[in-house]
Amino acid sequence: QGLPDSTKWTFDIGNWGWGNNELQYYTDKKAENARLEGGNLIIEARKDDNGLPWSSARLTTRGKVSFIYGKIEFRAKVPASRGTWSAGWLLGDNYVDEISWPYCGEIDVLENVGFEMDGKTGNGKTHASIHCGAYYFKLGNQPTSITEVESMNNSFHEYTLEWLPSGMIIYIDGKKYFDYHDTSNDLTWPFNKAQNLILNLAIGGGWGGAQGLDPAMTSQQFIIDYVRVFEKR
């Protein structure tokens, strides 16, 4: 119980929109926005009463633990309301001190937006993508695959990345649905350097808020059962 392991995780804090015009203020508040409870990590977005529209949390291993090559798996349930945007992803360590996004490389293992969810069944869609100097969303050419996931909101599912020097594959519940193997140069393959993990729940933004927010929404939870990393030796 309490906060996530501080030897592995830290918090990004702020409300500058995070490059996507998101509405939430990311905090490190244990009781409200990020806590270990019942064996799970709960990231909770809440309507805030401190003059800000929403609060939430964004956890990262940046500066604590980094990875290059191997297998990374998130087991999670995503929120269901229109306006949410949950993600488990990786970002190049050199983003802060050396080169900017997207040149540092980004790997999206799990991305989900609430407006794609069926509120009755909890069925939704997961998106797997990469962003790099040659391919990213502002150019509209990022490699992406999308697949339907049954009971995405009500049941845990495994979102898995296999990352090798020759390319990467992403799976949902053991089923391959994305691969990328353009390793030809630094613009298409910055993924030969270490990356850190990020778990976050955003509200609104250019994608999450593309169909507005559910006006009845007051809180939503992104529930992570585990994050497992198997490094290639």
Side-chain angles (χ1 to χ4, degrees):
Q1 304 299 320
L3 286 171
D5 183 351
S6 61
T7 68
K8 298 182 176 68
W9 297 95
T10 187
F11 291 83
D12 282 330
I13 296 175
N15 65 334
W16 58 276
W18 301 92
N20 300 299
N21 298 312
E22 298 163 22
L23 301 178
Q24 78 289 332
Y25 191 110
Y26 283 133
T27 81
D28 60 356
K29 297 177 182 177
K30 177 182 74 172
E32 296 178 15
N33 300 126
R35 60 190 180 273
L36 298 178
E37 183 177 289
N40 299 136
L41 168 65
I42 310 293
I43 298 178
E44 184 169 342
R46 303 174 63 165
K47 273 196 171 178
D48 207 306
D49 59 1
N50 296 316
L52 299 166
W54 286 87
S55 63
S56 188
R58 171 168 155 152
L59 281 72
T60 173
T61 66
R62 186 182 66 251
K64 302 280 187 176
V65 190
S66 299
F67 310 97
I68 180 168
Y69 307 138
K71 177 179 174 180
I72 296 170
E73 186 169 83
F74 304 95
R75 187 171 191 263
K77 294 181 188 177
V78 301
S81 287
R82 177 165 46 91
T84 59
W85 182 356
S86 52
W89 51 297
L90 294 85
L91 189 64
D93 274 358
N94 51 6
Y95 166 70
V96 176
D97 299 321
E98 298 177 39
I99 58 175
S100 63
W101 185 94
Y103 301 97
C104 63
E106 173 182 330
I107 308 170
D108 298 320
V109 183
L110 156 62
E111 267 195 303
N112 169 264
V113 287
F115 65 78
E116 293 183 336
M117 301 285 290
D118 184 317
K120 293 182 179 179
T121 64
N123 295 350
K125 296 178 181 178
T126 183
H127 299 246
S129 309
I130 69 99
H131 302 268
C132 58
Y135 313 119
Y136 59 100
F137 78 91
K138 291 183 179 180
L139 296 179
N141 65 349
Q142 75 275 14
T144 298
S145 291
I146 307 167
T147 192
E148 300 277 346
V149 182
E150 291 186 4
S151 192
M152 195 175 185
N153 168 245
N154 300 316
S155 302
F156 285 109
H157 295 275
E158 289 80 39
Y159 305 85
T160 304
L161 164 70
E162 289 184 355
W163 172 24
L164 299 172
S166 58
M168 62 184 71
I169 299 172
I170 295 177
Y171 304 82
I172 172 69
D173 294 330
K175 179 182 177 182
K176 172 184 169 181
Y177 79 104
F178 174 87
D179 64 85
Y180 177 78
H181 293 89
D182 188 345
T183 62
S184 55
N185 59 65
D186 288 344
L187 287 179
T188 63
W189 187 256
F191 306 109
N192 56 357
K193 299 177 180 67
Q195 299 220 337
N196 57 81
L197 307 183
I198 302 175
L199 295 165
N200 69 290
L201 174 55
I203 298 293
W207 187 28
Q211 296 188 16
L213 273 64
D214 180 350
M217 179 173 63
T218 58
S219 68
Q220 287 288 296
Q221 293 184 347
F222 181 26
I223 304 174
I224 298 94
D225 183 28
Y226 60 70
V227 178
R228 292 178 178 166
V229 178
F230 305 84
E231 290 190 275
K232 185 178 184 300
R233 300 278 183 193

